């Protein structure tokens, strides 16, 4: 049942902390704090590249994984949605890592892309919530997400679980390739272990999120902005809003605004910025200033430090717990999913079963 929650989606949102913790316990040894993965079909220390494919939210998890793997493990990554990857025929060196991400493990395009990657002699590592699925059977290694059954059509807890696995994979590859210092690895891992508590704090911010939902529920269109690793978080926010509230939304890399999308901005278009302090904060800030100068109504998700700098630019600010940059994309996912949920409630849509959508897309 829904355990007293309004919808399965709300119940599953509230499972974020438990699911992140469970997934970490699966891969992190409690006494040594060493991350232990199943045996990999290649030598991680000499791995040369990775190619990632997935659909929808799982693809956004992959985009975040690309930033992590490139930044922390210095592993070159190619990535595309599976419906494109399966027909793209990119040149790939054999013995690379084909990284496939899927909640259901049954998505037709993702499965087809996996088979193509296998034909190109990639070893398939898949990140799956259903470890008994078709994609599981056709993979060389399965990294399970331990999110439990997800009933709402819109993915929530499976997404943060995918990110948790990707973060562990990143730290292991970074360690094996000697691209991260033990100290830095420890800082990242500590931030991950601390994440369930921080996420639980965010889940308490329902009233504040509802206030924001009121601001966007009557909009024709909403723009989400982020830069760097927060750009895919903006994409996740926009997809969830479209999917369950039927409000048009799009995400842009904030630096791209001036190349076209800024023409959309006026008083009627809420601009939602996903912008923790730190790397790229100042850059995003100036992009937001440009939007504000065109009448844009800015709503910012940030931390205490970011809130100070945003106070004259944003009309609404949601102050999230301050966390290490490594785990910020996981934390910031939670309020953007909550916002989509609360907006859908105001719209009166069928939140768990949005129109035209199926939980598992087993046809091309
Ligand atoms: C969005 C959503 C979809 C799925 C996509 C992939 O909320 O749920 O975009 O992420 O259909 O599904 P899986 O992960 O089962 O391959």
């Amino acid at each position: 049942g829904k355990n007293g929650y309004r919808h399965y989606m709300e119940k599953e949102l509230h499972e974020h902390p438990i699911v992140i913790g469970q997934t970490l316990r699966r891969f992190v040894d409690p006494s040594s704090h060493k991350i232990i993965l199943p045996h990999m079909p290649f030598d991680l220390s000499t791995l040369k590249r990775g190619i990632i494919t997935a659909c929808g939210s799982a693809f956004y998890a992959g985009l975040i994984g690309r930033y992590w793997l490139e930044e922390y493990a210095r592993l070159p990554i190619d990535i595309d949605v599976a419906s494109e990857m399966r027909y793209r025929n990119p040149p790939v060196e054999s013995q690379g890592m084909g990284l496939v991400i899927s909640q259901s493990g049954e998505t037709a395009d993702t499965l087809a892309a996996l088979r193509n990657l296998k034909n190109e002699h990639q070893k398939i590592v898949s990140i799956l919530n259903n470890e008994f699925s078709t994609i599981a059977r056709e993979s060389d290694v399965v990294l399970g997400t331990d999110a439990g059954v997800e009933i709402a059509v819109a993915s929530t807890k499976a997404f943060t679980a995918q990110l948790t696995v990707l973060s562990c994979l990143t730290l292991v590859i970074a360690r094996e390739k000697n691209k991260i210092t033990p100290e830095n690895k420890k800082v990242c891992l500590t931030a991950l272990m601390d994440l369930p508590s921080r996420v639980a704090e965010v889940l308490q911010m329902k009233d504040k999120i509802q206030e924001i939902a009121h601001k966007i529920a009557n909009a024709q269109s909403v723009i989400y902005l982020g830069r760097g690793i927060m750009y895919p978080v903006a994409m996740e926010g926009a997809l969830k809003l479209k999917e369950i509230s039927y409000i048009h939304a799009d995400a842009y890399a904030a630096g791209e605004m001036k190349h076209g999308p800024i023409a959309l901005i006026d008083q009627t278009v809420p601009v939602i910025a996903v912008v923790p302090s730190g790397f790229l904060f100042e850059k995003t800030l100036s992009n937001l200033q440009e939007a504000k100068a065109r009448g844009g109504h800015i709503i910012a998700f940030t931390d205490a430090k970011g809130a100070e700098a945003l106070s004259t630019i944003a009309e609404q600010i949601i102050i999230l717990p301050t966390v290490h940059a490594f785990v910020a994309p996981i934390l910031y996912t939670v309020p953007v999913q909550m916002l989509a949920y609360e907006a859908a409630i105001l719209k009166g849509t069928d939140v768990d079963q949005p129109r035209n959508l199926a939980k598992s897309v087993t046809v091309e």
Side-chain angles (χ1 to χ4, degrees):
K2 296 177 206 162
N3 276 357
Y5 289 108
R6 291 169 287 177
H7 296 90
Y8 281 107
M9 183 171 174
E10 189 180 35
K11 173 177 178 268
E12 289 162 6
L13 275 165
H14 281 266
E15 287 168 1
H16 274 310
I18 283 188
V19 161
I20 294 167
Q22 256 163 223
T23 301
L24 282 174
R25 272 194 296 282
R26 177 165 183 161
F27 296 113
V28 183
D29 179 74
S31 49
S32 66
H33 279 196
K34 203 174 152 117
I35 305 174
I36 298 163
L37 298 179
H39 180 71
M40 288 286 165
F42 37 66
D43 179 358
L44 290 176
S45 66
T46 56
L47 182 64
K48 280 215 201 63
R49 26 185 70 250
I51 183 162
I52 304 180
T53 195
C55 300
S57 282
F59 169 68
Y60 301 148
L63 286 176
I64 292 169
R66 174 180 68 176
Y67 281 96
W68 276 331
L69 288 162
E70 289 185 344
E71 168 87 19
Y72 291 85
R74 308 304 296 152
L75 186 71
I77 298 290
D78 180 15
I79 175 164
D80 212 343
V81 290
S83 56
E84 290 297 318
M85 188 67 88
R86 65 181 292 188
Y87 296 113
R88 230 182 75 186
N89 193 23
V92 281
E93 267 176 66
S94 59
Q95 303 304 315
M97 172 174 68
L99 191 55
V100 172
I101 308 169
S102 173
Q103 189 282 127
S104 64
E106 300 295 345
T107 304
D109 282 323
T110 308
L111 178 61
L114 176 157
R115 288 176 176 159
N116 288 356
L117 290 174
K118 272 183 116 166
N119 284 338
E120 294 295 330
H121 309 289
Q122 303 301 291
K123 294 288 183 188
I124 307 297
V125 176
S126 57
I127 298 178
L128 302 174
N129 202 33
N130 182 350
E131 293 173 51
F132 303 96
S133 54
T134 311
I135 290 179
R137 279 197 302 277
E138 299 198 13
S139 301
D140 294 291
V141 182
V142 175
L143 305 177
T145 45
D146 281 328
V149 179
E150 202 179 52
I151 291 172
V153 163
S155 186
T156 52
K157 59 176 179 167
F159 180 76
T160 49
Q162 287 159 358
L163 293 180
T164 305
V165 173
L166 283 162
S167 65
C168 291
L169 180 65
T170 298
L171 292 179
V172 168
I173 298 178
R175 178 187 75 204
E176 294 301 313
K177 294 182 85 63
N178 256 322
K179 299 295 182 190
I180 192 167
T181 63
E183 300 75 46
N184 205 9
K185 207 194 91 225
K186 196 167 167 225
V187 169
C188 290
L189 192 56
T190 306
L192 271 172
M193 308 284 255
D194 192 42
L195 203 51
S197 314
R198 301 289 81 78
V199 168
E201 289 170 35
V202 176
L203 290 167
Q204 297 306 310
M205 301 174 72
K206 181 169 129 191
D207 293 352
K208 188 83 196 166
I209 304 272
Q210 279 176 335
E211 252 176 65
I212 309 296
H214 278 280
K215 302 277 178 200
I216 67 169
N218 294 316
Q220 284 282 331
S221 185
V222 178
I223 291 178
Y224 286 73
L225 297 181
R227 290 186 78 129
I229 202 162
M230 303 313 280
Y231 173 36
V233 176
M235 292 171 159
E236 167 66 3
L239 177 66
K240 283 294 175 299
L241 191 71
K242 281 186 274 224
E243 190 175 17
I244 59 172
S245 77
Y246 314 149
I247 300 170
H248 175 261
D250 250 317
Y252 297 100
E256 267 296 292
M257 285 298 283
K258 61 170 79 67
H259 301 287
I262 200 161
L264 293 168
I265 303 281
D266 66 18
Q267 316 78 274
T268 68
V269 184
V271 175
I272 299 183
V274 192
V275 57
S277 65
F279 184 54
L280 294 176
F281 179 80
E282 299 297 331
K283 300 280 176 198
T284 315
L285 203 68
S286 62
N287 302 136
L288 296 177
Q289 236 140 9
E290 289 153 12
K292 185 186 161 68
R294 273 91 187 162
H297 176 130
I298 316 286
I299 298 164
F301 289 97
T302 187
D303 49 29
K305 189 164 175 230
E308 274 177 49
L310 281 157
S311 64
T312 57
I313 297 171
E315 283 170 55
Q316 270 84 35
I317 300 179
I318 298 93
I319 303 179
L320 302 173
T322 300
V323 293
H324 189 280
F326 183 62
V327 300
I330 308 182
L331 186 84
Y332 281 65
T333 291
V334 175
V336 299
Q337 290 180 344
M338 288 168 74
L339 178 59
Y341 176 73
E342 296 298 344
I345 296 284
L346 294 175
K347 296 299 253 189
T349 58
D350 190 350
V351 175
D352 285 336
Q353 294 282 335
R355 67 189 182 198
N356 311 340
L357 290 169
K359 182 68 186 161
S360 175
V361 185
T362 54
V363 292
E364 181 171 0

